[in-house]
Amino acid sequence: MSGWTVPYVGFRQQYQEQQSDLLRTIDEVLTGGDLIMRQQMLDFETHVAEYVGTRYALGVSNCTDALHLSVRAAGLGAGDEVITVSHTFVATAAAIHHAGATPVLVDVGDDHNMDPDAFEAAITPRTRAVLPVHLNGRISDMRRIMEIAERHGLTVIEDAAQALGATFEGKGAGSFGVAGCFSFYPAKLLGALGDGGAVVTDSDEIRERVNLLRNHGRLPDGTIGEWSFNCRLDNVQAAILDVRLGWLDGWNRRRRAIAARYQAGLADLDALLLPPPPVEEGDYYDVFQNYEVEAEDRDALEAYLREQGVETMRPWGGKAIHQSPALGLSDTHLPRTDLLFDRVLMLPMFPELADEQVDYVVDRIHEFYR
Ligand SMILES: *Cc1c(COP(=O)(O)O)cnc(C)c1O
């Protein structure tokens, strides 16, 4: 057992609840001998595209590869600048870097997503694309980002790793740009039993390119069309994901209920900046991949919660991308992101979390600030 009164994730609990469905699914796949790119993966792709509201989805090995292949498929490379945020996983910028393009990092707003004004201010004659990240289950302000991108003729690729099921103005995360990328890492909204990812798109060209790039550049007749990679989604993972996709809306509703409970319990504390609360009517349907707050005395609060048996996390181990000198992007001046990383803390958030556990966290936080 983990030893935490309130752990950060609930993988064991999840497995207990799903054991018979998962074992039956794995048995079906193995009995059929269907291991690589078989019917189960095609079915899952159809269902993901339907779920997001795009024409196509392609299963890939993880979201890092989904991003990398999307950047390449969109024709971006050497000499091209791609604007993204620094408050994201290193994978977002790595995907741009490995395609040969240059990541340009901009600041976030109070919702912890890309600040559209900062995006517009960073555009240069070399800018070819923007890569907004829909962090913590909330879509970036895509009305403004799409408007700015269109005005400047920029390609839009979405990092929707944390946002499967989120909508903005009724449209699904991942369906705004030319490509949207999802992660099925176990702790994500829809988790595999290991790694997995997907690219969604309405574009025939992107679909064809990603399909080729994910499988060694092999054309349908087996000949090699270009140098490429192996970024396939394993069939057994696809089959598991297809079963779990049917449960996703229920899990996301539970995450929203937990967020509402944190909001009700913590809103009176001036020492905390909470994320925007879930709303029933409005532009944003947020799915709370994480519950990320900014807190005064963050280090002491974190230590107090640990003592009290509450497991918390700092995003990306506590460093934004421009704060990792090894990546060579440290000369970027991002005051809002710097402030955020001095204060940020993520509270436990997963569908199996009980109301009593949420209340326990809320009470300990009140105790700390008293
Ligand atoms: C998890 C994550 C990724 C990478 O996903 P993998 O499937 O682990 O490669 C990329 N971007 C963001 C914002 C993420 O949270």
Side-chain angles (χ1 to χ4, degrees):
M1 287 309 293
S2 70
W4 296 101
T5 306
V6 188
Y8 193 76
V9 290
F11 294 141
R12 289 159 191 252
Q13 214 176 329
Q14 200 182 52
Y15 182 60
Q16 275 170 10
E17 289 172 17
Q18 302 171 9
Q19 188 173 24
S20 60
D21 289 302
L22 299 188
L23 293 181
R24 183 174 356 94
T25 304
I26 293 168
D27 186 55
E28 276 166 20
V29 173
L30 298 187
T31 301
D34 294 319
L35 300 182
I36 298 280
M37 299 236 274
R38 306 289 291 182
Q39 189 60 43
Q40 288 88 343
M41 192 190 79
L42 301 177
D43 290 345
F44 175 60
E45 290 177 341
T46 303
H47 297 147
V48 169
E50 272 170 18
Y51 185 83
V52 173
T54 53
R55 288 172 68 204
Y56 309 117
L58 294 117
V60 293
S61 34
N62 53 63
C63 186
T64 308
D65 290 336
L67 289 161
H68 177 210
L69 299 191
S70 295
V71 171
R72 282 179 177 264
L76 303 165
D80 299 333
E81 291 180 357
V82 180
I83 295 174
T84 191
V85 288
S86 185
H87 180 15
T88 184
F89 189 38
V90 65
T92 317
I96 299 167
H97 172 84
H98 288 304
T102 305
V104 173
L105 306 178
V106 300
D107 228 335
V108 294
D110 281 350
D111 66 352
H112 294 188
N113 277 330
M114 180 180 282
D115 174 352
D117 292 326
F119 157 39
E120 185 155 30
I123 295 172
T124 75
R126 283 159 139 16
T127 307
R128 290 274 317 281
V130 62
L131 211 166
V133 182
H134 307 317
L135 215 58
N136 302 321
R138 181 180 175 87
I139 298 185
S140 310
D141 181 353
M142 292 310 278
R143 195 187 312 153
R144 290 211 50 215
I145 290 172
M146 292 303 288
E147 184 270 311
I148 295 165
E150 270 159 36
R151 196 147 35 80
H152 293 269
L154 306 178
T155 299
V156 179
I157 296 170
E158 298 167 71
D159 183 341
Q162 300 198 354
L164 187 61
T167 64
F168 175 64
E169 297 183 335
K171 223 170 126 52
S175 71
F176 292 83
V178 72
C181 303
F182 293 99
S183 173
F184 308 126
Y185 179 80
K188 298 292 162 77
L189 297 158
L190 176 65
L193 305 181
D195 282 307
V199 176
V200 297
T201 184
D202 284 330
S203 154
D204 289 305
E205 194 192 330
I206 295 283
R207 178 210 197 187
E208 241 168 74
R209 294 279 300 136
V210 172
N211 188 33
L212 192 73
L213 290 170
R214 72 174 165 177
N215 192 26
H216 304 286
R218 293 181 72 185
L219 296 162
D221 68 1
T223 59
I224 304 299
E226 62 182 290
W227 291 108
S228 196
F229 310 91
N230 174 0
C231 307
R232 297 179 304 234
L233 175 64
D234 286 341
N235 204 64
V236 70
Q237 297 290 1
I240 295 287
L241 288 165
D242 206 21
V243 171
R244 284 181 163 177
L245 183 61
W247 302 331
L248 180 62
D249 281 340
W251 290 337
N252 283 349
R253 279 195 296 274
R254 176 63 193 148
R255 287 174 181 272
R256 286 168 59 82
I258 292 167
R261 206 170 178 91
Y262 275 133
Q263 169 77 24
L266 298 172
D268 62 320
L269 290 173
D270 292 335
L272 295 182
L273 175 68
L274 303 179
V279 289
E280 285 315 315
E281 314 261 319
D283 289 344
Y284 289 91
Y285 185 85
D286 298 345
V287 293
F288 295 91
Q289 161 72 65
N290 304 304
Y291 196 80
E292 188 174 275
V293 306
E294 289 179 58
E296 273 171 32
D297 282 327
R298 186 268 318 269
D299 296 6
L301 173 64
E302 182 183 49
Y304 182 74
L305 290 175
R306 189 184 309 124
E307 262 168 43
Q308 300 296 319
V310 177
E311 187 180 19
T312 61
M313 297 257 286
R314 297 183 188 189
W316 336 117
K319 292 262 182 270
I321 292 183
H322 75 291
Q323 295 173 338
S324 290
L327 301 178
L329 299 168
S330 301
D331 54 0
T332 329
H333 181 57
L334 303 172
R336 183 64 184 90
T337 304
D338 286 338
L339 175 71
L340 190 158
F341 274 81
D342 287 341
R343 295 157 42 97
V344 71
L345 196 66
M346 302 195 295
L347 305 181
M349 167 60 80
F350 53 94
E352 295 79 16
L353 198 61
D355 284 350
E356 299 70 48
Q357 291 178 298
V358 177
D359 296 345
Y360 180 85
V361 176
V362 165
D363 291 345
R364 299 293 81 73
I365 294 175
H366 272 274
E367 233 164 58
F368 173 77
Y369 284 115
R370 212 175 283 135

